[in-house]
Amino acid sequence: MTIKKAIFPVGGLGTRFLPATKAMPKEMLPVVDKPLIQYAVEEAAAAGIEQFIFVTGRNKTAIEDHFDHSTELEAVLIEKDKADALEVVRRMLREPGSVSYVRQQEPAGLGHAVWCARHLIGTEPVAVLLADDLILGAPAMAEMTAAYTGGNMVALMDVPASDTGAYGIITPGSKQGNLTEIIGIVEKPAPDKAPSDKAVVGRYILEPKIFEELGKGRRGAGGEIQLTDALAARIGHTPFHGLNFSGERFDCGSKIGFLKANIAFGLAHDELQGELSQWLPTRL
Ligand code: UTP
Protein backbone atom coordinates (compact mmCIF):
# COMPACT_ATOMS: atom_id res chain seq x y z
CA MET A 1 0.00 0.00 0.00
CA THR A 2 1.31 3.51 -0.79
CA ILE A 3 2.10 5.59 2.29
CA LYS A 4 2.61 9.26 1.48
CA LYS A 5 3.49 10.84 4.83
CA ALA A 6 6.21 10.11 7.35
CA ILE A 7 6.80 11.48 10.85
CA PHE A 8 10.36 11.86 12.14
CA PRO A 9 10.37 12.38 15.92
CA VAL A 10 13.52 14.33 16.72
CA GLY A 11 12.47 15.87 20.02
CA GLY A 12 14.43 13.64 22.40
CA LEU A 13 17.03 15.07 24.75
CA GLY A 14 19.84 12.78 23.59
CA THR A 15 21.34 12.71 27.08
CA ARG A 16 23.52 9.70 26.24
CA PHE A 17 25.44 11.88 23.80
CA LEU A 18 26.05 14.93 25.93
CA PRO A 19 27.97 17.19 25.48
CA ALA A 20 27.71 16.54 21.70
CA THR A 21 23.93 17.05 21.89
CA LYS A 22 24.03 20.18 24.03
CA ALA A 23 23.44 22.54 21.11
CA MET A 24 22.35 20.16 18.36
CA PRO A 25 19.87 17.29 18.11
CA LYS A 26 21.40 13.80 18.18
CA GLU A 27 19.81 13.14 14.79
CA MET A 28 22.40 15.53 13.31
CA LEU A 29 25.30 13.30 14.42
CA PRO A 30 27.04 12.08 11.26
CA VAL A 31 27.73 8.49 10.30
CA VAL A 32 30.68 8.84 7.91
CA ASP A 33 29.54 12.00 6.07
CA LYS A 34 25.76 12.15 6.52
CA PRO A 35 23.66 13.05 9.56
CA LEU A 36 21.44 10.27 10.91
CA ILE A 37 18.31 12.18 9.96
CA GLN A 38 19.32 12.29 6.31
CA TYR A 39 19.63 8.50 6.19
CA ALA A 40 16.11 8.25 7.65
CA VAL A 41 14.69 10.75 5.14
CA GLU A 42 16.35 8.90 2.25
CA GLU A 43 14.96 5.59 3.51
CA ALA A 44 11.47 7.12 3.63
CA ALA A 45 11.85 8.58 0.13
CA ALA A 46 12.95 5.14 -1.14
CA ALA A 47 9.63 3.82 0.22
CA GLY A 48 7.67 6.41 -1.81
CA ILE A 49 7.07 8.92 1.01
CA GLU A 50 6.28 12.38 -0.36
CA GLN A 51 5.69 14.45 2.80
CA PHE A 52 8.20 14.66 5.61
CA ILE A 53 7.04 15.83 9.05
CA PHE A 54 9.66 16.54 11.70
CA VAL A 55 8.59 16.71 15.33
CA THR A 56 11.32 18.80 16.84
CA GLY A 57 12.30 19.86 20.32
CA ARG A 58 14.87 22.40 21.35
CA ASN A 59 17.77 23.10 18.95
CA LYS A 60 15.71 22.40 15.86
CA THR A 61 17.42 24.96 13.62
CA ALA A 62 20.26 22.65 12.56
CA ILE A 63 17.71 20.21 11.08
CA GLU A 64 15.71 22.97 9.35
CA ASP A 65 18.90 24.42 7.88
CA HIS A 66 20.11 21.00 6.78
CA PHE A 67 17.02 20.43 4.63
CA ASP A 68 17.03 23.95 3.16
CA HIS A 69 19.10 25.82 0.57
CA SER A 70 22.30 27.32 1.90
CA THR A 71 22.54 30.26 -0.48
CA GLU A 72 25.93 31.41 0.81
CA LEU A 73 27.50 27.95 0.67
CA GLU A 74 26.10 27.27 -2.79
CA ALA A 75 27.42 30.62 -4.08
CA VAL A 76 30.92 29.84 -2.76
CA LEU A 77 30.86 26.33 -4.27
CA ILE A 78 29.84 27.80 -7.66
CA GLU A 79 32.59 30.43 -7.44
CA LYS A 80 35.21 27.79 -6.57
CA ASP A 81 33.97 25.49 -9.31
CA LYS A 82 33.19 22.66 -6.88
CA ALA A 83 30.48 21.02 -8.96
CA ASP A 84 30.53 17.69 -7.08
CA ALA A 85 30.07 19.31 -3.67
CA LEU A 86 27.33 21.55 -5.08
CA GLU A 87 25.53 18.47 -6.44
CA VAL A 88 25.75 16.81 -2.98
CA VAL A 89 24.07 19.73 -1.19
CA ARG A 90 21.44 20.28 -3.89
CA ARG A 91 20.50 16.66 -4.53
CA MET A 92 19.44 16.09 -0.92
CA LEU A 93 16.81 18.87 -0.94
CA ARG A 94 13.22 17.71 -1.00
CA GLU A 95 10.52 19.20 -3.21
CA PRO A 96 9.47 22.69 -2.01
CA GLY A 97 6.54 22.43 0.42
CA SER A 98 7.07 18.77 1.24
CA VAL A 99 8.82 19.31 4.58
CA SER A 100 6.97 20.48 7.71
CA TYR A 101 7.95 21.04 11.30
CA VAL A 102 5.92 20.68 14.46
CA ARG A 103 7.27 21.53 17.87
CA GLN A 104 7.03 19.07 20.75
CA GLN A 105 6.97 21.52 23.62
CA GLU A 106 8.23 19.04 26.21
CA PRO A 107 10.01 15.71 25.73
CA ALA A 108 7.09 13.69 27.14
CA GLY A 109 7.90 10.53 25.21
CA LEU A 110 7.83 9.03 21.73
CA GLY A 111 4.03 8.58 21.80
CA HIS A 112 3.62 12.24 22.67
CA ALA A 113 5.99 13.26 19.86
CA VAL A 114 3.97 11.28 17.30
CA TRP A 115 0.70 12.71 18.66
CA CYS A 116 2.07 16.25 18.19
CA ALA A 117 1.92 15.64 14.40
CA ARG A 118 -1.79 14.66 14.43
CA HIS A 119 -3.11 17.79 12.72
CA LEU A 120 -0.88 17.15 9.71
CA ILE A 121 -2.18 13.62 9.20
CA GLY A 122 -5.51 12.97 7.50
CA THR A 123 -7.33 9.67 7.19
CA GLU A 124 -4.47 7.69 5.66
CA PRO A 125 -1.87 5.55 7.45
CA VAL A 126 1.44 7.24 8.23
CA ALA A 127 5.03 6.01 8.54
CA VAL A 128 7.20 6.83 11.57
CA LEU A 129 10.99 6.57 11.41
CA LEU A 130 13.41 7.00 14.31
CA ALA A 131 16.67 8.25 12.87
CA ASP A 132 18.76 6.83 15.69
CA ASP A 133 17.87 3.33 14.47
CA LEU A 134 20.11 3.27 11.41
CA ILE A 135 19.74 0.40 8.94
CA LEU A 136 22.50 -0.76 6.62
CA GLY A 137 21.43 -2.66 3.53
CA ALA A 138 17.91 -2.97 2.12
CA PRO A 139 15.74 0.02 3.21
CA ALA A 140 13.41 -1.38 5.88
CA MET A 141 10.55 1.08 5.30
CA ALA A 142 10.22 0.01 1.65
CA GLU A 143 9.97 -3.61 2.81
CA MET A 144 7.25 -2.56 5.25
CA THR A 145 5.16 -0.53 2.80
CA ALA A 146 5.37 -3.41 0.30
CA ALA A 147 3.98 -5.82 2.92
CA TYR A 148 1.44 -3.44 4.49
CA THR A 149 -2.25 -4.16 3.98
CA GLY A 150 -3.75 -2.12 6.84
CA GLY A 151 -3.75 -1.74 10.62
CA ASN A 152 -0.50 -1.13 12.50
CA MET A 153 2.93 -2.48 11.64
CA VAL A 154 6.37 -2.36 13.30
CA ALA A 155 9.84 -3.52 12.27
CA LEU A 156 11.12 -6.45 14.34
CA MET A 157 14.48 -7.92 15.24
CA ASP A 158 15.63 -10.64 17.64
CA VAL A 159 17.63 -9.35 20.62
CA PRO A 160 19.62 -11.16 23.32
CA ALA A 161 17.28 -12.10 26.20
CA SER A 162 19.33 -9.89 28.56
CA ASP A 163 18.53 -6.76 26.45
CA THR A 164 14.72 -6.80 26.51
CA GLY A 165 14.65 -3.91 29.02
CA ALA A 166 15.80 -1.53 26.28
CA TYR A 167 13.01 -2.24 23.77
CA GLY A 168 9.33 -2.69 23.10
CA ILE A 169 8.91 -6.48 23.11
CA ILE A 170 6.09 -8.34 21.36
CA THR A 171 4.10 -11.49 21.99
CA PRO A 172 4.17 -13.25 18.61
CA GLY A 173 1.14 -14.93 17.08
CA SER A 174 1.09 -16.72 13.74
CA LYS A 175 3.93 -16.24 11.26
CA GLN A 176 3.82 -15.96 7.46
CA GLY A 177 7.14 -15.46 5.70
CA ASN A 178 8.78 -12.37 7.20
CA LEU A 179 5.50 -11.16 8.78
CA THR A 180 4.52 -12.01 12.36
CA GLU A 181 1.10 -11.34 13.81
CA ILE A 182 1.44 -9.42 17.09
CA ILE A 183 -0.93 -10.36 19.89
CA GLY A 184 0.75 -8.42 22.69
CA ILE A 185 3.38 -5.72 23.17
CA VAL A 186 5.04 -4.27 26.26
CA GLU A 187 7.59 -1.47 26.69
CA LYS A 188 10.99 -2.25 28.22
CA PRO A 189 10.16 -5.47 30.16
CA ALA A 190 12.82 -6.96 32.45
CA PRO A 191 14.25 -10.18 30.95
CA ASP A 192 12.26 -12.40 33.34
CA LYS A 193 9.01 -10.60 32.36
CA ALA A 194 9.60 -10.39 28.60
CA PRO A 195 7.07 -12.28 26.46
CA SER A 196 9.71 -13.06 23.77
CA ASP A 197 13.07 -11.86 22.45
CA LYS A 198 11.43 -10.09 19.48
CA ALA A 199 12.04 -6.36 19.76
CA VAL A 200 10.56 -3.35 17.97
CA VAL A 201 13.02 -1.29 15.92
CA GLY A 202 12.19 2.37 15.17
CA ARG A 203 10.08 1.88 12.04
CA TYR A 204 6.28 1.98 12.22
CA ILE A 205 3.26 2.26 9.96
CA LEU A 206 0.31 3.56 11.97
CA GLU A 207 -3.38 3.85 11.19
CA PRO A 208 -4.77 7.30 12.15
CA LYS A 209 -6.90 5.80 14.97
CA ILE A 210 -3.68 5.62 16.99
CA PHE A 211 -3.89 9.40 17.52
CA GLU A 212 -7.11 9.01 19.52
CA GLU A 213 -5.36 6.50 21.74
CA LEU A 214 -2.29 8.72 22.16
CA GLY A 215 -4.58 11.67 22.90
CA LYS A 216 -5.66 9.99 26.14
CA GLY A 217 -2.24 11.02 27.43
CA ARG A 218 -1.65 7.91 29.53
CA ARG A 219 1.86 7.78 30.98
CA GLY A 220 3.72 4.48 30.80
CA ALA A 221 7.30 3.25 31.28
CA GLY A 222 9.61 6.02 32.51
CA GLY A 223 6.60 8.32 33.10
CA GLU A 224 6.45 8.96 29.33
CA ILE A 225 3.58 8.70 26.86
CA GLN A 226 4.61 5.54 25.05
CA LEU A 227 3.74 4.63 21.47
CA THR A 228 3.99 0.99 22.59
CA ASP A 229 1.06 1.42 25.01
CA ALA A 230 -1.15 2.97 22.31
CA LEU A 231 -0.28 0.09 19.95
CA ALA A 232 -1.14 -2.39 22.72
CA ALA A 233 -4.53 -0.73 23.24
CA ARG A 234 -5.39 -1.17 19.54
CA ILE A 235 -4.78 -4.94 19.59
CA GLY A 236 -8.05 -6.73 18.95
CA HIS A 237 -9.50 -3.70 17.15
CA THR A 238 -7.19 -3.63 14.17
CA PRO A 239 -4.60 -5.93 12.50
CA PHE A 240 -1.09 -5.65 13.98
CA HIS A 241 1.98 -7.13 12.34
CA GLY A 242 5.75 -7.11 12.74
CA LEU A 243 8.10 -7.36 9.81
CA ASN A 244 11.52 -8.98 10.05
CA PHE A 245 13.49 -6.62 7.81
CA SER A 246 16.54 -7.84 5.92
CA GLY A 247 19.02 -5.00 6.66
CA GLU A 248 21.32 -4.66 9.67
CA ARG A 249 20.26 -2.25 12.40
CA PHE A 250 22.59 -0.07 14.45
CA ASP A 251 21.45 1.62 17.67
CA CYS A 252 22.90 5.07 17.07
CA GLY A 253 21.24 6.36 20.24
CA SER A 254 24.03 4.60 22.16
CA LYS A 255 27.73 5.39 21.89
CA ILE A 256 28.79 1.85 21.08
CA GLY A 257 26.08 1.42 18.43
CA PHE A 258 27.04 4.76 16.89
CA LEU A 259 30.73 3.75 16.73
CA LYS A 260 29.84 0.36 15.20
CA ALA A 261 27.68 2.14 12.60
CA ASN A 262 30.53 4.44 11.62
CA ILE A 263 32.83 1.45 11.16
CA ALA A 264 30.28 -0.65 9.26
CA PHE A 265 29.24 2.24 6.98
CA GLY A 266 32.94 3.17 6.56
CA LEU A 267 33.73 -0.40 5.49
CA ALA A 268 30.85 -0.22 2.99
CA HIS A 269 32.05 3.14 1.60
CA ASP A 270 33.95 3.02 -1.72
CA GLU A 271 36.52 5.67 -0.78
CA LEU A 272 37.13 4.47 2.78
CA GLN A 273 36.92 0.70 2.81
CA GLY A 274 40.49 0.01 1.60
CA GLU A 275 42.35 2.14 4.14
CA LEU A 276 39.90 1.48 6.98
CA SER A 277 40.08 -2.32 6.63
CA GLN A 278 43.90 -2.15 6.64
CA TRP A 279 44.04 0.14 9.65
CA LEU A 280 41.40 -1.50 11.86
CA PRO A 281 43.33 -4.71 12.67
CA THR A 282 46.36 -2.62 13.73
CA ARG A 283 44.28 -1.25 16.64
CA LEU A 284 43.41 -4.67 18.09
P1 UTP B 1 15.22 7.88 23.24
O1 UTP B 1 14.53 6.91 24.11
O2 UTP B 1 16.48 7.42 22.58
O3 UTP B 1 15.46 9.21 24.06
O4 UTP B 1 14.19 8.32 22.12
P2 UTP B 1 16.36 10.47 23.75
O5 UTP B 1 15.93 11.58 24.65
O6 UTP B 1 16.33 10.79 22.28
O7 UTP B 1 17.87 10.02 24.10
P3 UTP B 1 18.57 9.72 25.51
O8 UTP B 1 18.00 8.41 25.98
O9 UTP B 1 18.30 10.87 26.44
O10 UTP B 1 20.03 9.62 25.16
C1 UTP B 1 13.82 7.48 21.04
C2 UTP B 1 13.35 8.33 19.87
O11 UTP B 1 12.19 9.07 20.22
C3 UTP B 1 12.39 10.46 20.04
C4 UTP B 1 13.90 10.65 20.04
O12 UTP B 1 14.28 11.79 19.31
C5 UTP B 1 14.37 9.35 19.42
O13 UTP B 1 14.29 9.38 17.99
N1 UTP B 1 11.74 11.17 21.14
C6 UTP B 1 11.81 10.68 22.41
C7 UTP B 1 11.02 12.32 20.89
O14 UTP B 1 10.95 12.79 19.73
N2 UTP B 1 10.41 12.95 21.95
C8 UTP B 1 10.47 12.47 23.20
O15 UTP B 1 9.86 13.07 24.10
C9 UTP B 1 11.19 11.31 23.45
Side-chain angles (χ1 to χ4, degrees):
M1 189 186 282
T2 318
I3 313 286
K4 296 204 186 81
K5 295 184 182 179
I7 300 173
F8 301 86
V10 290
L13 290 175
T15 51
R16 285 170 289 171
F17 271 98
L18 283 169
T21 47
K22 187 171 172 228
M24 91 181 170
K26 84 174 156 188
E27 289 77 8
M28 283 303 291
L29 290 169
V31 167
V32 182
D33 52 6
K34 251 191 254 179
L36 291 169
I37 189 66
Q38 193 178 333
Y39 287 100
V41 165
E42 287 174 2
E43 184 183 323
I49 300 293
E50 294 169 2
Q51 289 180 44
F52 305 82
I53 301 160
F54 295 85
V55 182
T56 63
R58 53 194 192 102
N59 303 324
K60 65 168 181 169
T61 44
I63 292 183
E64 286 195 1
D65 290 346
H66 187 72
F67 289 102
D68 200 355
H69 275 290
S70 171
T71 319
E72 266 176 46
L73 174 64
E74 287 174 35
V76 175
L77 293 176
I78 291 167
E79 196 185 299
K80 294 194 179 290
D81 213 14
K82 296 209 178 272
D84 290 353
L86 186 63
E87 168 68 7
V88 166
V89 292
R90 284 193 172 162
R91 199 179 42 211
M92 55 157 289
L93 293 179
R94 314 300 332 167
E95 197 192 327
S98 66
V99 182
S100 355
Y101 298 87
V102 174
R103 188 92 174 200
Q104 184 188 19
Q105 289 149 323
E106 46 164 343
L110 176 59
H112 181 257
V114 169
W115 178 74
C116 285
R118 66 198 178 283
H119 293 303
L120 298 178
I121 309 298
T123 53
E124 290 176 23
V126 61
V128 176
L129 295 95
L130 304 189
D132 44 8
D133 276 333
L134 179 61
I135 292 170
L136 178 62
M141 187 47 74
E143 293 180 337
M144 290 173 71
T145 52
Y148 182 76
T149 51
N152 293 316
M153 182 183 270
V154 294
L156 287 182
M157 67 181 259
D158 292 345
V159 294
S162 54
D163 290 357
T164 56
Y167 296 92
I169 302 287
I170 65 141
T171 309
S174 61
K175 202 169 174 225
Q176 240 193 341
N178 61 358
L179 273 188
T180 302
E181 184 196 2
I182 298 177
I183 57 174
I185 186 167
V186 55
E187 185 65 22
K188 300 188 172 61
D192 59 331
K193 302 246 159 51
S196 75
D197 57 0
K198 301 197 179 317
V200 175
V201 168
R203 301 286 182 278
Y204 308 79
I205 299 176
L206 305 173
E207 51 160 26
K209 276 262 177 205
I210 200 86
F211 291 107
E212 280 174 35
E213 204 53 56
L214 289 169
K216 295 177 184 166
R218 272 197 300 264
R219 303 261 167 177
E224 295 189 336
I225 298 172
Q226 298 286 356
L227 184 53
T228 300
D229 296 339
L231 287 167
R234 295 294 303 150
I235 292 175
H237 302 286
T238 193
F240 189 14
H241 291 96
L243 180 130
N244 275 86
F245 56 99
S246 45
E248 184 183 2
R249 173 261 189 182
F250 293 88
D251 174 14
C252 290
S254 77
K255 290 191 204 39
I256 188 69
F258 178 72
L259 285 174
K260 286 180 186 170
N262 266 290
I263 292 168
F265 277 69
L267 288 171
H269 192 286
D270 287 347
E271 283 167 35
L272 305 179
Q273 60 188 185
E275 193 174 339
L276 186 57
S277 56
Q278 279 183 359
W279 177 80
L280 268 177
T282 69
R283 304 298 299 180
L284 301 173

